[in-house]
Amino acid sequence: GESVGLHLPTLSVQEGDNSIINCAYSNSASDYFIWYKQESGKGPQFIIDIRSNMDKRQGQRVTVLLNKTVKHLSLQIAATQPGDSAVYFCAAFPGYSSASKIIFGSGTRLSIRP
Amino acid sequence: IAGITQAPTSQILAAGRRMTLRCTQDMRHNAMYWYRQDLGLGLRLIHYSNTAGTTGKGEVPDGYSVSRANTDDFPLTLASAVPSQTSVYFCASSDSSRGAWMGGYTFGSGTRLTVV
C-alpha cells in the first residue's frame, strides 16, 4: 500500500527566508506527486506537481524536488511571505492503474515570523 | 458557480438523524470524490465516482453512501449520524480524461459537520 508522511507537523520561518517542507512516500510505484496548500477554513489548493520521470520542477516561488531513490519529496518556497501561512500536504498517486485515489500526507503547518 | 460548490457550509446534527451533504461542480470533470479531514489524520477518502453512474468505496466508507446520477452532482448521505462522524467534509473532482491525474484534484471549501 501507500502511505505518505511529513517529517514535521509544524514549521516556523522568518519572513523573507526560504521554507522547505519534506515528505516521504512508501510505494515505489507512485508516479505522480502533488503539493497542496490549505488555508484556514478553505479546501486544499493545487500548488505544483511532478511526475516520477523528473527530479525537479519549478513554479512561481516554489520548487518541488523528487528523490525516487529514497522516496522523498520536498517543497521549497522562496522568500516566504505572510500569505504562505497554511497547511501544506503532499499527495502521491499510486500509479496510472489506480484511478480512484490519492494518498495524502497529514500536513505540515507553516507559520511565518515577522 | 465556479469550480465546486458544497452545501451547507456547516451543520450541527443530532445523533441518529439523516443528513445529505451536497456537492456540485461546473467543470464537467468525470471523477468526483468525498474526503473527511480530521486533525492529525489528514484527508481520508470516503467514496468516489470515476464517472456518472458509477461509485466506489474509499478508505472509510462505513456509515456513508453516495450517488452519481449525473456528471455535476455527487451528494454524500449519512443515514444515521454518529458523533464519530464529526469532521470537515471535502468534495473534490478531477478530469482524468486529459491523462491520468493531470493537475490533480479541485476541492470545494468544505462542510463542517458536528454530530451531537
Side-chain angles (χ1 to χ4, degrees):
Chain A
E2 178 71 81
S3 66
V4 178
L6 289 158
H7 291 192
L8 293 172
T10 60
L11 176 66
S12 178
V13 300
Q14 192 77 33
E15 182 177 351
D17 287 352
N18 296 336
S19 301
I20 300 175
I21 301 171
N22 295 303
C23 179
Y25 62 97
S26 61
N27 188 346
S28 57
S30 295
D31 67 352
Y32 183 53
F33 305 88
I34 297 177
W35 280 99
Y36 286 91
K37 174 185 180 182
Q38 186 176 19
E39 297 175 280
S40 181
K42 297 183 180 180
Q45 291 183 294
F46 173 94
I47 302 174
I48 192 168
D49 59 359
I50 189 168
R51 291 209 169 273
S52 58
N53 60 354
M54 304 170 68
D55 53 20
K56 180 179 180 179
R57 192 171 186 205
Q58 289 184 288
Q60 186 177 12
R61 282 201 308 118
V62 295
T63 300
V64 56
L65 299 178
L66 175 62
N67 186 329
K68 295 180 288 294
T69 301
V70 296
K71 295 197 283 279
H72 181 269
L73 195 68
S74 69
L75 176 70
Q76 301 178 4
I77 303 173
T80 308
Q81 302 170 357
D84 296 327
S85 292
V87 175
Y88 291 82
F89 299 91
C90 67
F93 285 80
Y96 275 76
S97 62
S98 298
S100 62
K101 46 193 160 183
I102 308 174
I103 307 298
F104 287 93
S106 56
T108 291
R109 181 174 299 280
L110 177 64
S111 61
I112 315 301
R113 301 191 303 272
Chain B
I1 297 177
I4 293 184
T5 300
Q6 290 186 237
T9 304
S10 65
Q11 181 75 45
I12 298 174
L13 185 68
R17 297 294 297 269
R18 181 184 179 90
M19 172 79 186
T20 295
L21 280 58
R22 299 184 298 278
C23 175
T24 299
Q25 54 113 350
D26 65 353
M27 299 169 286
R28 307 304 292 175
H29 284 174
N30 58 307
M32 297 186 74
Y33 313 84
W34 274 105
Y35 285 87
R36 60 177 290 172
Q37 185 175 43
D38 302 291
L39 191 63
L41 295 176
L43 288 160
R44 293 183 292 168
L45 182 67
I46 304 171
H47 285 287
Y48 65 92
S49 168
N50 287 329
T51 189
T54 68
T55 62
K57 294 181 179 180
E59 181 185 356
V60 288
D62 294 342
Y64 306 94
S65 64
V66 292
S67 62
R68 186 89 183 278
N70 56 62
T71 298
D72 298 343
D73 301 300
F74 192 43
L76 176 73
T77 297
L78 289 68
S80 179
V82 296
S84 62
Q85 292 178 309
T86 294
S87 187
V88 181
Y89 291 86
F90 287 100
C91 180
S93 69
S94 67
D95 180 9
S96 59
S97 65
R98 295 190 293 122
W101 314 126
M102 291 300 292
Y105 290 179
T106 299
F107 285 87
S109 297
T111 294
R112 183 175 297 275
L113 180 67
T114 303
V115 182
V116 298

Short mmCIF file of all heavy atoms in Angstrom, two decimals, chain B residues 44-104:
data_model
loop_
_atom_site.label_atom_id
_atom_site.label_comp_id
_atom_site.label_asym_id
_atom_site.label_seq_id
_atom_site.Cartn_x
_atom_site.Cartn_y
_atom_site.Cartn_z
N ARG B 44 -8.98 11.63 4.33
CA ARG B 44 -9.25 10.22 4.10
C ARG B 44 -10.43 10.08 3.15
O ARG B 44 -11.47 10.71 3.33
CB ARG B 44 -9.54 9.50 5.42
CG ARG B 44 -8.33 9.42 6.35
CD ARG B 44 -8.65 8.65 7.60
NE ARG B 44 -9.59 9.35 8.44
CZ ARG B 44 -10.23 8.82 9.49
NH1 ARG B 44 -10.03 7.55 9.79
NH2 ARG B 44 -11.05 9.54 10.22
N LEU B 45 -10.27 9.22 2.16
CA LEU B 45 -11.28 9.04 1.13
C LEU B 45 -12.46 8.23 1.64
O LEU B 45 -12.29 7.14 2.18
CB LEU B 45 -10.65 8.35 -0.08
CG LEU B 45 -11.56 8.14 -1.29
CD1 LEU B 45 -11.94 9.49 -1.92
CD2 LEU B 45 -10.87 7.27 -2.32
N ILE B 46 -13.67 8.74 1.43
CA ILE B 46 -14.89 8.06 1.86
C ILE B 46 -15.46 7.25 0.71
O ILE B 46 -15.61 6.04 0.78
CB ILE B 46 -15.93 9.08 2.37
CG1 ILE B 46 -15.35 9.94 3.49
CG2 ILE B 46 -17.19 8.35 2.86
CD1 ILE B 46 -16.26 11.11 3.89
N HIS B 47 -15.83 7.96 -0.35
CA HIS B 47 -16.35 7.34 -1.56
C HIS B 47 -15.86 8.12 -2.76
O HIS B 47 -15.47 9.28 -2.65
CB HIS B 47 -17.88 7.33 -1.57
CG HIS B 47 -18.53 6.32 -0.68
ND1 HIS B 47 -18.54 4.98 -0.95
CD2 HIS B 47 -19.19 6.49 0.49
CE1 HIS B 47 -19.19 4.35 0.02
NE2 HIS B 47 -19.59 5.24 0.90
N TYR B 48 -15.91 7.49 -3.91
CA TYR B 48 -15.51 8.15 -5.14
C TYR B 48 -16.42 7.70 -6.28
O TYR B 48 -17.15 6.71 -6.17
CB TYR B 48 -14.04 7.87 -5.47
CG TYR B 48 -13.76 6.42 -5.80
CD1 TYR B 48 -13.81 5.95 -7.11
CD2 TYR B 48 -13.47 5.52 -4.78
CE1 TYR B 48 -13.56 4.63 -7.39
CE2 TYR B 48 -13.23 4.19 -5.06
CZ TYR B 48 -13.27 3.75 -6.36
OH TYR B 48 -13.03 2.43 -6.65
N SER B 49 -16.32 8.46 -7.38
CA SER B 49 -17.06 8.10 -8.59
C SER B 49 -16.18 8.45 -9.78
O SER B 49 -15.82 9.60 -9.98
CB SER B 49 -18.38 8.88 -8.67
OG SER B 49 -18.96 8.74 -9.94
N ASN B 50 -15.83 7.47 -10.56
CA ASN B 50 -14.96 7.71 -11.72
C ASN B 50 -15.72 8.31 -12.89
O ASN B 50 -15.13 8.98 -13.75
CB ASN B 50 -14.28 6.42 -12.16
CG ASN B 50 -13.18 5.99 -11.20
OD1 ASN B 50 -12.53 6.82 -10.58
ND2 ASN B 50 -12.98 4.69 -11.07
N THR B 51 -17.03 8.07 -12.93
CA THR B 51 -17.85 8.64 -13.98
C THR B 51 -19.31 8.55 -13.55
O THR B 51 -19.65 7.78 -12.64
CB THR B 51 -17.63 7.88 -15.30
OG1 THR B 51 -18.29 8.58 -16.37
CG2 THR B 51 -18.16 6.47 -15.24
N ALA B 52 -20.17 9.33 -14.17
CA ALA B 52 -21.58 9.31 -13.82
C ALA B 52 -22.13 7.90 -13.93
O ALA B 52 -21.86 7.18 -14.89
CB ALA B 52 -22.37 10.26 -14.73
N GLY B 53 -22.89 7.51 -12.89
CA GLY B 53 -23.49 6.19 -12.87
C GLY B 53 -22.69 5.14 -12.14
O GLY B 53 -23.17 4.02 -11.92
N THR B 54 -21.45 5.47 -11.75
CA THR B 54 -20.61 4.51 -11.02
C THR B 54 -20.09 5.14 -9.74
O THR B 54 -19.84 6.34 -9.68
CB THR B 54 -19.41 4.07 -11.85
OG1 THR B 54 -18.50 5.17 -12.02
CG2 THR B 54 -19.83 3.56 -13.22
N THR B 55 -19.96 4.32 -8.71
CA THR B 55 -19.38 4.77 -7.44
C THR B 55 -18.50 3.67 -6.88
O THR B 55 -18.61 2.50 -7.27
CB THR B 55 -20.45 5.13 -6.40
OG1 THR B 55 -21.22 3.96 -6.10
CG2 THR B 55 -21.36 6.23 -6.91
N GLY B 56 -17.64 4.03 -5.95
CA GLY B 56 -16.77 3.06 -5.30
C GLY B 56 -16.46 3.47 -3.89
O GLY B 56 -16.62 4.64 -3.51
N LYS B 57 -16.03 2.51 -3.08
CA LYS B 57 -15.72 2.76 -1.69
C LYS B 57 -14.26 3.17 -1.53
O LYS B 57 -13.38 2.62 -2.18
CB LYS B 57 -15.99 1.51 -0.85
CG LYS B 57 -17.46 1.13 -0.79
CD LYS B 57 -17.66 -0.10 0.08
CE LYS B 57 -19.14 -0.46 0.16
NZ LYS B 57 -19.38 -1.65 1.01
N GLY B 58 -14.06 4.10 -0.63
CA GLY B 58 -12.72 4.53 -0.31
C GLY B 58 -12.21 3.86 0.94
O GLY B 58 -12.56 2.73 1.25
N GLU B 59 -11.42 4.61 1.68
CA GLU B 59 -10.76 4.09 2.88
C GLU B 59 -11.72 3.96 4.06
O GLU B 59 -11.61 3.04 4.87
CB GLU B 59 -9.61 5.01 3.23
CG GLU B 59 -8.80 4.62 4.45
CD GLU B 59 -7.74 5.66 4.80
OE1 GLU B 59 -7.60 6.65 4.05
OE2 GLU B 59 -7.06 5.48 5.82
N VAL B 60 -12.68 4.89 4.20
CA VAL B 60 -13.57 4.93 5.36
C VAL B 60 -15.02 5.08 4.92
O VAL B 60 -15.68 6.07 5.20
CB VAL B 60 -13.16 6.07 6.33
CG1 VAL B 60 -11.88 5.73 7.05
CG2 VAL B 60 -13.04 7.40 5.60
N PRO B 61 -15.62 4.07 4.26
CA PRO B 61 -16.95 4.22 3.68
C PRO B 61 -18.12 3.95 4.63
O PRO B 61 -19.26 4.34 4.34
CB PRO B 61 -16.94 3.17 2.57
CG PRO B 61 -16.07 2.08 3.13
CD PRO B 61 -14.98 2.80 3.90
N ASP B 62 -17.83 3.29 5.77
CA ASP B 62 -18.93 2.84 6.64
C ASP B 62 -19.72 4.00 7.21
O ASP B 62 -19.16 4.95 7.76
CB ASP B 62 -18.37 1.97 7.76
CG ASP B 62 -17.78 0.67 7.25
OD1 ASP B 62 -18.09 0.30 6.10
OD2 ASP B 62 -17.01 0.03 7.99
N GLY B 63 -21.05 3.90 7.09
CA GLY B 63 -21.94 4.94 7.60
C GLY B 63 -22.27 6.01 6.58
O GLY B 63 -23.04 6.92 6.87
N TYR B 64 -21.69 5.90 5.38
CA TYR B 64 -21.90 6.88 4.32
C TYR B 64 -22.36 6.19 3.04
O TYR B 64 -21.97 5.05 2.77
CB TYR B 64 -20.60 7.63 4.00
CG TYR B 64 -19.91 8.29 5.16
CD1 TYR B 64 -18.89 7.62 5.84
CD2 TYR B 64 -20.24 9.58 5.56
CE1 TYR B 64 -18.23 8.23 6.90
CE2 TYR B 64 -19.58 10.19 6.61
CZ TYR B 64 -18.58 9.50 7.28
OH TYR B 64 -17.93 10.11 8.32
N SER B 65 -23.14 6.93 2.26
CA SER B 65 -23.50 6.45 0.93
C SER B 65 -23.45 7.62 -0.04
O SER B 65 -23.56 8.79 0.36
CB SER B 65 -24.88 5.80 0.92
OG SER B 65 -25.87 6.74 1.24
N VAL B 66 -23.27 7.31 -1.32
CA VAL B 66 -23.21 8.33 -2.35
C VAL B 66 -24.00 7.87 -3.56
O VAL B 66 -24.32 6.68 -3.70
CB VAL B 66 -21.76 8.63 -2.79
CG1 VAL B 66 -20.97 9.31 -1.69
CG2 VAL B 66 -21.06 7.37 -3.27
N SER B 67 -24.31 8.81 -4.43
CA SER B 67 -24.92 8.52 -5.71
C SER B 67 -24.34 9.47 -6.74
O SER B 67 -23.87 10.57 -6.41
CB SER B 67 -26.44 8.67 -5.64
OG SER B 67 -26.79 10.00 -5.31
N ARG B 68 -24.35 9.06 -8.00
CA ARG B 68 -23.83 9.91 -9.07
C ARG B 68 -24.78 9.77 -10.26
O ARG B 68 -24.50 9.07 -11.22
CB ARG B 68 -22.40 9.49 -9.44
CG ARG B 68 -21.74 10.42 -10.45
CD ARG B 68 -21.02 11.54 -9.79
NE ARG B 68 -20.45 12.47 -10.75
CZ ARG B 68 -19.28 12.29 -11.38
NH1 ARG B 68 -18.57 11.19 -11.16
NH2 ARG B 68 -18.84 13.21 -12.20
N ALA B 69 -25.90 10.47 -10.17
CA ALA B 69 -26.92 10.38 -11.21
C ALA B 69 -26.52 11.15 -12.46
O ALA B 69 -26.99 10.84 -13.56
CB ALA B 69 -28.26 10.90 -10.68
N ASN B 70 -25.67 12.16 -12.31
CA ASN B 70 -25.23 12.96 -13.45
C ASN B 70 -23.78 13.40 -13.21
O ASN B 70 -23.22 13.15 -12.14
CB ASN B 70 -26.14 14.16 -13.68
CG ASN B 70 -26.26 15.03 -12.45
OD1 ASN B 70 -25.26 15.60 -11.99
ND2 ASN B 70 -27.46 15.15 -11.90
N THR B 71 -23.20 14.08 -14.18
CA THR B 71 -21.80 14.47 -14.08
C THR B 71 -21.55 15.50 -12.99
O THR B 71 -20.52 15.47 -12.33
CB THR B 71 -21.32 15.03 -15.44
OG1 THR B 71 -21.42 14.02 -16.42
CG2 THR B 71 -19.88 15.52 -15.37
N ASP B 72 -22.50 16.38 -12.77
CA ASP B 72 -22.25 17.56 -11.94
C ASP B 72 -22.43 17.34 -10.44
O ASP B 72 -21.84 18.05 -9.64
CB ASP B 72 -23.17 18.71 -12.37
CG ASP B 72 -22.92 19.14 -13.81
OD1 ASP B 72 -21.85 18.80 -14.35
OD2 ASP B 72 -23.80 19.81 -14.37
N ASP B 73 -23.29 16.41 -10.05
CA ASP B 73 -23.68 16.31 -8.65
C ASP B 73 -23.20 15.02 -8.02
O ASP B 73 -23.30 13.94 -8.61
CB ASP B 73 -25.20 16.41 -8.52
CG ASP B 73 -25.73 17.71 -9.08
OD1 ASP B 73 -25.33 18.76 -8.57
OD2 ASP B 73 -26.55 17.65 -10.03
N PHE B 74 -22.76 15.13 -6.77
CA PHE B 74 -22.25 13.95 -6.06
C PHE B 74 -22.58 14.10 -4.57
O PHE B 74 -21.73 14.44 -3.76
CB PHE B 74 -20.74 13.84 -6.27
CG PHE B 74 -20.14 12.54 -5.83
CD1 PHE B 74 -20.75 11.33 -6.10
CD2 PHE B 74 -18.91 12.52 -5.16
CE1 PHE B 74 -20.18 10.13 -5.72
CE2 PHE B 74 -18.33 11.31 -4.77
CZ PHE B 74 -18.97 10.12 -5.05
N PRO B 75 -23.83 13.85 -4.18
CA PRO B 75 -24.22 14.02 -2.77
C PRO B 75 -23.71 12.88 -1.89
O PRO B 75 -23.61 11.73 -2.33
CB PRO B 75 -25.75 14.00 -2.84
CG PRO B 75 -26.06 13.22 -4.08
CD PRO B 75 -24.96 13.50 -5.05
N LEU B 76 -23.41 13.23 -0.66
CA LEU B 76 -22.96 12.28 0.36
C LEU B 76 -24.02 12.22 1.45
O LEU B 76 -24.39 13.26 2.00
CB LEU B 76 -21.63 12.72 0.97
CG LEU B 76 -21.08 11.88 2.12
CD1 LEU B 76 -20.55 10.56 1.60
CD2 LEU B 76 -19.99 12.63 2.87
N THR B 77 -24.51 11.02 1.76
CA THR B 77 -25.56 10.85 2.75
C THR B 77 -25.08 10.08 3.96
O THR B 77 -24.42 9.05 3.81
CB THR B 77 -26.78 10.14 2.13
OG1 THR B 77 -27.32 10.94 1.09
CG2 THR B 77 -27.86 9.91 3.18
N LEU B 78 -25.38 10.62 5.14
CA LEU B 78 -25.19 9.92 6.39
C LEU B 78 -26.56 9.42 6.81
O LEU B 78 -27.45 10.21 7.13
CB LEU B 78 -24.63 10.86 7.46
CG LEU B 78 -23.18 11.32 7.34
CD1 LEU B 78 -22.97 12.24 6.13
CD2 LEU B 78 -22.74 12.02 8.61
N ALA B 79 -26.76 8.12 6.79
CA ALA B 79 -28.09 7.57 7.04
C ALA B 79 -28.55 7.78 8.48
O ALA B 79 -29.70 8.09 8.74
CB ALA B 79 -28.12 6.10 6.68
N SER B 80 -27.63 7.60 9.42
CA SER B 80 -27.94 7.75 10.84
C SER B 80 -26.66 8.26 11.51
O SER B 80 -25.79 7.46 11.87
CB SER B 80 -28.39 6.43 11.43
OG SER B 80 -28.67 6.56 12.80
N ALA B 81 -26.57 9.56 11.66
CA ALA B 81 -25.31 10.17 12.10
C ALA B 81 -24.89 9.73 13.50
O ALA B 81 -25.74 9.54 14.39
CB ALA B 81 -25.42 11.69 12.04
N VAL B 82 -23.57 9.59 13.66
CA VAL B 82 -22.98 9.27 14.97
C VAL B 82 -21.89 10.31 15.27
O VAL B 82 -21.33 10.91 14.35
CB VAL B 82 -22.39 7.84 15.00
CG1 VAL B 82 -23.48 6.81 14.82
CG2 VAL B 82 -21.33 7.68 13.92
N PRO B 83 -21.58 10.51 16.55
CA PRO B 83 -20.59 11.55 16.90
C PRO B 83 -19.23 11.37 16.23
O PRO B 83 -18.56 12.37 15.96
CB PRO B 83 -20.50 11.41 18.43
CG PRO B 83 -21.85 10.95 18.83
CD PRO B 83 -22.27 10.00 17.75
N SER B 84 -18.85 10.14 15.93
CA SER B 84 -17.55 9.92 15.28
C SER B 84 -17.53 10.44 13.85
O SER B 84 -16.45 10.50 13.23
CB SER B 84 -17.20 8.44 15.29
OG SER B 84 -18.15 7.69 14.56
N GLN B 85 -18.68 10.83 13.34
CA GLN B 85 -18.73 11.42 12.01
C GLN B 85 -18.57 12.95 12.04
O GLN B 85 -18.64 13.61 11.00
CB GLN B 85 -20.03 11.04 11.30
CG GLN B 85 -20.08 9.55 10.95
CD GLN B 85 -21.38 9.13 10.30
OE1 GLN B 85 -22.47 9.43 10.82
NE2 GLN B 85 -21.29 8.42 9.19
N THR B 86 -18.34 13.48 13.21
CA THR B 86 -17.98 14.88 13.33
C THR B 86 -16.64 15.10 12.62
O THR B 86 -15.64 14.46 12.95
CB THR B 86 -17.86 15.29 14.81
OG1 THR B 86 -19.15 15.21 15.41
CG2 THR B 86 -17.31 16.71 14.94
N SER B 87 -16.66 16.00 11.65
CA SER B 87 -15.47 16.18 10.82
C SER B 87 -15.71 17.34 9.86
O SER B 87 -16.79 17.92 9.82
CB SER B 87 -15.19 14.89 10.02
OG SER B 87 -13.97 14.97 9.32
N VAL B 88 -14.68 17.64 9.07
CA VAL B 88 -14.85 18.55 7.93
C VAL B 88 -14.83 17.69 6.68
O VAL B 88 -13.92 16.88 6.48
CB VAL B 88 -13.74 19.61 7.88
CG1 VAL B 88 -13.97 20.53 6.68
CG2 VAL B 88 -13.69 20.41 9.17
N TYR B 89 -15.83 17.87 5.85
CA TYR B 89 -16.00 17.04 4.65
C TYR B 89 -15.68 17.87 3.41
O TYR B 89 -16.20 18.96 3.23
CB TYR B 89 -17.43 16.51 4.58
CG TYR B 89 -17.72 15.50 5.64
CD1 TYR B 89 -18.14 15.90 6.91
CD2 TYR B 89 -17.56 14.14 5.42
CE1 TYR B 89 -18.38 14.97 7.92
CE2 TYR B 89 -17.81 13.21 6.41
CZ TYR B 89 -18.21 13.63 7.65
OH TYR B 89 -18.45 12.71 8.65
N PHE B 90 -14.81 17.30 2.58
CA PHE B 90 -14.44 17.96 1.34
C PHE B 90 -14.86 17.12 0.15
O PHE B 90 -14.60 15.91 0.10
CB PHE B 90 -12.93 18.21 1.27
CG PHE B 90 -12.47 19.30 2.18
CD1 PHE B 90 -11.89 18.99 3.40
CD2 PHE B 90 -12.61 20.62 1.82
CE1 PHE B 90 -11.46 20.00 4.26
CE2 PHE B 90 -12.19 21.64 2.67
CZ PHE B 90 -11.62 21.31 3.89
N CYS B 91 -15.50 17.79 -0.80
CA CYS B 91 -15.78 17.20 -2.09
C CYS B 91 -14.68 17.63 -3.06
O CYS B 91 -14.16 18.76 -2.95
CB CYS B 91 -17.15 17.67 -2.58
SG CYS B 91 -17.66 17.01 -4.18
N ALA B 92 -14.31 16.76 -3.97
CA ALA B 92 -13.27 17.09 -4.95
C ALA B 92 -13.63 16.48 -6.29
O ALA B 92 -14.45 15.54 -6.37
CB ALA B 92 -11.90 16.58 -4.49
N SER B 93 -13.02 17.00 -7.34
CA SER B 93 -13.24 16.44 -8.67
C SER B 93 -11.93 16.45 -9.44
O SER B 93 -11.00 17.19 -9.09
CB SER B 93 -14.31 17.23 -9.42
OG SER B 93 -13.83 18.51 -9.76
N SER B 94 -11.87 15.63 -10.46
CA SER B 94 -10.68 15.60 -11.32
C SER B 94 -11.09 15.21 -12.74
O SER B 94 -12.12 14.57 -12.95
CB SER B 94 -9.64 14.62 -10.78
OG SER B 94 -10.09 13.29 -10.87
N ASP B 95 -10.27 15.65 -13.67
CA ASP B 95 -10.52 15.35 -15.08
C ASP B 95 -9.48 14.34 -15.54
O ASP B 95 -8.43 14.73 -16.04
CB ASP B 95 -10.46 16.62 -15.90
CG ASP B 95 -10.72 16.37 -17.38
OD1 ASP B 95 -11.11 15.23 -17.73
OD2 ASP B 95 -10.52 17.30 -18.18
N SER B 96 -9.77 13.09 -15.36
CA SER B 96 -8.79 12.07 -15.74
C SER B 96 -8.79 11.82 -17.24
O SER B 96 -7.96 11.10 -17.76
CB SER B 96 -9.07 10.77 -14.99
OG SER B 96 -10.35 10.29 -15.26
N SER B 97 -9.75 12.43 -17.96
CA SER B 97 -9.81 12.21 -19.40
C SER B 97 -8.65 12.87 -20.13
O SER B 97 -8.33 12.51 -21.26
CB SER B 97 -11.13 12.73 -19.96
OG SER B 97 -11.21 14.14 -19.83
N ARG B 98 -7.99 13.86 -19.47
CA ARG B 98 -6.87 14.56 -20.10
C ARG B 98 -5.56 13.82 -19.90
O ARG B 98 -4.52 14.31 -20.25
CB ARG B 98 -6.74 15.98 -19.54
CG ARG B 98 -7.92 16.87 -19.86
CD ARG B 98 -7.63 18.31 -19.49
NE ARG B 98 -7.49 18.49 -18.07
CZ ARG B 98 -6.41 18.99 -17.48
NH1 ARG B 98 -5.36 19.31 -18.18
NH2 ARG B 98 -6.37 19.14 -16.18
N GLY B 99 -5.66 12.66 -19.36
CA GLY B 99 -4.43 11.95 -19.00
C GLY B 99 -4.43 11.82 -17.51
O GLY B 99 -4.72 12.77 -16.80
N ALA B 100 -4.14 10.67 -17.03
CA ALA B 100 -4.34 10.40 -15.62
C ALA B 100 -3.69 11.44 -14.73
O ALA B 100 -2.51 11.72 -14.83
CB ALA B 100 -3.80 9.02 -15.28
N TRP B 101 -4.49 12.06 -13.91
CA TRP B 101 -4.04 12.88 -12.80
C TRP B 101 -3.40 14.20 -13.18
O TRP B 101 -2.77 14.84 -12.35
CB TRP B 101 -3.07 12.09 -11.92
CG TRP B 101 -3.57 10.73 -11.63
CD1 TRP B 101 -2.93 9.55 -11.84
CD2 TRP B 101 -4.86 10.39 -11.12
NE1 TRP B 101 -3.74 8.51 -11.47
CE2 TRP B 101 -4.94 8.99 -11.03
CE3 TRP B 101 -5.97 11.13 -10.71
CZ2 TRP B 101 -6.05 8.33 -10.57
CZ3 TRP B 101 -7.09 10.47 -10.24
CH2 TRP B 101 -7.11 9.09 -10.18
N MET B 102 -3.58 14.65 -14.41
CA MET B 102 -3.03 15.94 -14.75
C MET B 102 -3.70 17.01 -13.91
O MET B 102 -4.90 17.22 -13.98
CB MET B 102 -3.25 16.24 -16.23
CG MET B 102 -2.42 15.34 -17.14
SD MET B 102 -0.66 15.50 -16.87
CE MET B 102 -0.40 17.15 -17.46
N GLY B 103 -2.93 17.67 -13.07
CA GLY B 103 -3.47 18.74 -12.25
C GLY B 103 -4.14 18.28 -10.98
O GLY B 103 -4.55 19.10 -10.17
N GLY B 104 -4.26 17.01 -10.80
CA GLY B 104 -4.79 16.51 -9.55
C GLY B 104 -6.25 16.84 -9.35
O GLY B 104 -7.05 16.78 -10.27
#
